[in-house]
Amino acid sequence: MIANREIRLAARPVGEPALSNFSLAATEVPDLAEGQILVRNTWMSVDPYMRGRMDDVESYIPPFELDAPMDGSAVGEVVASRSAGIAVGATVAHFAGWREYAVVEAAAATVVDTALAPAEAYLGALGTTGLTAYAALTEVAPVRQGDVVFVSAAAGAVGSVAGQLARKLGAAKVIGSAGGPLKAKRVVEEFGFDAAIDYREGSLAARLAEASPDGVDVYVDNVGGDHLVAAIDALRHGGRIAMVGAISAANATAPIPGPANLFSLAHKDATLRGMLVNSYFHLFPEWIGKAAGWLADGSLHTELTVVDGIEHAPAAFLDLMRGGNVGKMLVRL
């Protein structure tokens, strides 16, 4: 038997999670059944949507179970296989993260090409992170030639890709928001945005009006709250909003009121559309075909915030929720 370590949800948080909501457990890996593979995880993803899964509420994805291993996107090396389709030594992406070794049904794993990009890229730009940005700006709130695009959480995993992609799709100007002057500086200098707003300084609406006096055509919403209100006010006639996330409300303990200016979308003939990346998996081949080339030629810049060791995964999650990352937050196992 192979010794294993995994992170479990020890208690459901109320408001902001703490380290006490998690536990590290030692287990043994069971024998494989026919059609299964054993993966030694090398990288695992840490994502904001996981906060919602810590609550025992009905949603688009089941909540984490108490005292059971958490899960999420991961990549790793196949070290044993009882599947004719996936050989030992292959690198695969799957959804059994938050543990060092994972027994995975072969049908639920995807072999990835590490000659095309490093394994960890399939958790970031070549994974659902990149796909979210691509679907948001091509199908949910399509960018048109000459548009002004506003992206919240622009230094984060989805936002940093979305801003660069907006430019490739023909945007004339790309504006991002980020928390703190250093992040705002990186949004412009490293991710190529035209302007960046430090939302912690002054009025967000006033800063957005200063960056784009004539308004915006597309808004990629990763934050919700005051960002959504400001974007609706700034939206031009026929504008589009892709509602990707609402991290500002992740730790709320009571219902969050909706934007008071929501009806202005009607007289602007504008759209606000929510999205789940699961609905756009059919775009994966198209996206990877484009993004891999951009990563190779350097025209798509990505950043990783890396934490080492399964035991530090809970701290990485808490840091992510407090805005402590630039680009994709990953745990290296």
Side-chain angles (χ1 to χ4, degrees), residues 78-271:
V78 177
V79 295
S81 175
R82 293 193 64 187
S83 166
I86 301 181
V88 170
T91 300
V92 296
H94 59 90
F95 204 67
W98 293 80
R99 66 203 81 183
E100 293 174 315
Y101 286 86
V103 174
V104 181
E105 297 293 333
T110 301
V111 176
V112 299
D113 184 357
T114 55
L116 194 64
E120 60 270 27
Y122 291 90
L123 297 177
L126 298 187
T128 54
T129 294
L131 181 65
T132 297
Y134 185 64
L137 292 175
T138 58
E139 297 211 357
V140 181
V143 173
R144 300 166 185 159
Q145 197 71 31
D147 278 348
V148 175
V149 177
F150 176 42
V151 181
S152 57
V158 172
S160 60
V161 173
Q164 296 173 79
L165 181 58
R167 177 81 72 212
K168 290 181 177 294
L169 293 171
K173 188 172 191 178
V174 184
I175 303 161
S177 72
L182 293 180
K183 275 192 175 182
K185 182 179 180 183
R186 294 184 73 174
V187 164
V188 173
E189 294 182 355
E190 298 180 26
F191 299 123
F193 287 62
D194 296 288
I197 298 166
D198 176 4
Y199 66 80
R200 296 174 182 169
E201 289 294 329
S203 163
L204 176 66
R207 298 288 301 279
L208 182 57
E210 180 183 329
S212 185
D214 296 325
V216 301
D217 300 288
V218 172
Y219 171 49
V220 179
D221 188 19
N222 296 301
V223 173
D226 61 344
H227 279 71
L228 180 56
V229 171
I232 291 173
D233 279 342
L235 209 62
R236 293 172 173 169
H237 186 270
R240 285 89 63 206
I241 298 175
M243 183 176 284
V244 177
I247 197 169
S248 65
N251 294 322
T253 56
I256 303 296
N261 60 348
L262 193 62
F263 189 71
S264 67
L265 294 173
H267 63 73
K268 292 182 178 185
D269 199 20
T271 60

Side-chain angles (χ1 to χ4, degrees), residues 8-22 50-57 64 66 70 250-253 317-318 321:
R8 298 177 177 178
L9 186 65
R12 299 198 185 280
V14 177
E16 184 175 354
L19 289 177
S20 58
N21 293 113
F22 305 86
M50 294 175 172
R51 174 60 187 87
R53 296 188 67 194
M54 294 176 188
D55 297 329
D56 189 13
V57 296
F64 294 126
L66 288 176
M70 296 171 61
N251 294 322
T253 56
F317 175 77
L318 299 184
M321 298 302 290

